[in-house]
Amino acid sequence: MSAKLCWLDLRAAGDTKRAVTEEAVHQRFDAVLAGDPADLAGLPPTVTRVLVVTGDRLPADLGAADLVLVTPGTPVDAGQHPGVRFGEHHDVTDRASLDRACDAVRRDGVTLLSFADPTNIPMEIVLAAAARTSGTIITAAGGVDDALVHLSVLEHGPDGVLLTAPRPGDATRLAGLVRAPSPKLDLVTLTVTGVRHVGAGERACVDTCTYLRPDEGILVGSWARALMLCVSETHPLPYMPTRPFRVNAGAIMSYTLADAEHTRYLSELSAGDTVLAVGADGRTRKVTVGRVKIETRPLLAIDATDPDGGPVNLIVQDDWHVRVLGPGAAVLNTTELQPGDEILGHLPGRERHVGYPIDELCHEL
């Protein structure tokens, strides 16, 4: 999502027009769109100025527009407007307008699409029609939540989204969600010092809405300062099928990362929350939690040390099929771990209060 374009529509901004424009420019939106050339005057060169023409002919004066989007069929003589690019805007309301939109995305440099019905199927068809083309597709979205849905249609979504009814704060929220990449984490090698049976307790399986990769899992630990990489159940298991969406994560009081900065207790997670999926190479992505299964099971404590000799602990279900990842994405069965074995981990480095990193005296034992 970090490469997606963010556009702002001023046509329905009303009295907030100036405020939302300044916010979008500050958030480095890629384009500001208007129906009146006067609304584009004064915009800095860092933003593309887009003029929408709804009639069947171009106005005599395009103002400061860098890009003009016309109604399909409007005659355009680009030679009379040097330095100005042209594209089309399409309202998809039925099969005929959908076919015209499909033709446009295969032909035009820039196409703005609006969809009348509350279904993503027309968008899916247009995006499929545009496969392997070089044009830019922007879809109109009524709000930030709708924009995020657009960007995940057919996995890759359009090239960008247009906020059609912006309110103050929307540009900031959209930019933060779309342009904040999930960072790569520094993973370290932890050395196992011992494994102990610690009786029964409640453990949590985190079932995500994502097909996790064989070298991917979530970071879990008894202490926020040091976490171990628990692998997903994508690897074959005896007596039962794989669960490629699941991580048998640990005891319910364990920490995990909701994102690169914030921790959550496993017991706090519920459907619709996010956790950070982490690969053996440190790459990350947010994934949505579908459910958390908490059940009473025998538990196993894994003790280890970090590269500086600091203690690390993780309590998991006491069963062979619960696994962690070692260097090189080696899959390690927890009940077979021996002193000296190596596990991948991450050291957030700071204590936590309600999931946020803080600097204060805190002993976790």
Side-chain angles (χ1 to χ4, degrees):
M1 279 193 179
S2 59
K4 296 298 184 179
L5 301 174
C6 295
W7 288 24
L8 184 81
D9 190 346
L10 296 180
R11 291 174 295 175
D15 295 338
T16 66
K17 185 180 297 182
R18 179 175 179 180
V20 296
T21 301
E22 291 179 352
E23 181 186 3
V25 171
H26 179 72
Q27 292 298 329
R28 298 185 179 180
F29 263 44
D30 300 281
V32 172
L33 179 148
D36 183 350
D39 289 333
L40 301 176
L43 288 173
T46 55
V47 64
T48 298
R49 295 158 289 195
V50 183
L51 179 66
V52 174
V53 177
T54 56
D56 58 1
R57 63 179 60 189
L58 287 177
D61 183 11
L62 302 181
D66 305 302
L67 171 64
V68 177
L69 302 177
V70 301
T71 303
T74 301
V76 173
D77 184 356
Q80 294 184 1
H81 305 280
V84 178
R85 294 181 295 145
F86 290 89
E88 292 183 350
H89 60 89
H90 289 255
D91 295 322
V92 178
T93 58
D94 53 22
R95 185 71 215 193
S97 58
L98 176 61
D99 290 340
R100 288 193 294 271
C102 289
D103 289 338
V105 296
R106 288 190 290 255
R107 178 192 66 237
D108 294 336
V110 180
T111 308
L112 172 63
L113 302 172
S114 298
F115 298 93
D117 296 315
T119 171
N120 291 323
I121 292 175
M123 190 189 306
E124 292 174 359
I125 294 172
V126 175
L127 293 177
R132 297 184 178 86
T133 61
S134 59
T136 299
I137 299 174
I138 306 294
T139 60
V144 175
D145 291 337
D146 287 340
L148 295 177
V149 171
H150 287 204
L151 293 175
S152 62
V153 170
L154 284 191
E155 190 172 345
H156 57 79
D159 298 290
V161 287
L162 169 73
L163 284 179
T164 60
R167 299 169 299 177
D170 282 352
T172 300
R173 183 176 171 223
L174 181 63
L177 292 170
V178 170
R179 291 178 171 165
S182 191
K184 190 171 184 178
L185 295 182
D186 292 326
L187 298 184
V188 299
T189 299
L190 309 174
T191 303
V192 175
T193 57
V195 176
R196 298 173 283 134
H197 304 285
V198 291
E202 281 67 62
R203 68 91 175 97
C205 284
V206 180
D207 292 348
T208 72
C209 299
T210 298
Y211 201 119
L212 298 169
R213 304 182 183 104
D215 67 338
E216 193 174 38
I218 65 174
L219 288 160
V220 187
S222 298
W223 307 318
R225 63 177 179 267
L227 309 172
M228 298 186 192
L229 186 53
C230 295
V231 69
S232 59
E233 292 189 2
T234 57
H235 301 277
L237 297 168
Y239 313 114
M240 60 187 296
T242 60
R243 304 286 191 263
F245 51 81
R246 171 175 295 174
V247 179
N248 193 326
I252 55 172
M253 84 306 154
S254 305
Y255 291 100
T256 190
L257 287 177
D259 56 45
E261 290 293 329
H262 302 105
T263 59
R264 298 285 301 274
Y265 295 123
L266 293 181
S267 63
E268 294 177 340
L269 298 176
S270 61
D273 290 338
T274 61
V275 292
L276 199 67
V278 182
D281 61 355
R283 70 184 186 280
T284 67
R285 55 175 175 153
K286 283 186 180 181
V287 296
T288 300
V289 176
R291 69 175 158 263
V292 177
K293 292 187 65 178
I294 296 176
E295 298 161 314
T296 302
R297 295 290 187 268
L299 298 178
L300 187 75
I302 305 169
D303 296 309
T305 56
D306 65 27
D308 294 326
V312 184
N313 178 265
L314 171 64
I315 297 177
V316 296
Q317 180 179 343
D318 190 345
D319 202 298
W320 178 87
H321 75 273
V322 179
R323 294 156 167 169
V324 291
L325 282 178
V331 180
L332 308 173
N333 301 93
T334 53
T335 56
E336 296 180 346
L337 290 172
Q338 299 291 328
D341 288 344
E342 295 181 333
I343 299 172
L344 289 176
H346 175 62
L347 306 178
R350 297 173 70 186
E351 306 299 346
R352 304 281 160 158
H353 181 66
V354 293
Y356 291 91
I358 57 170
D359 295 311
E360 69 171 10
L361 178 65
C362 179
H363 293 300
E364 290 182 311
L365 305 174

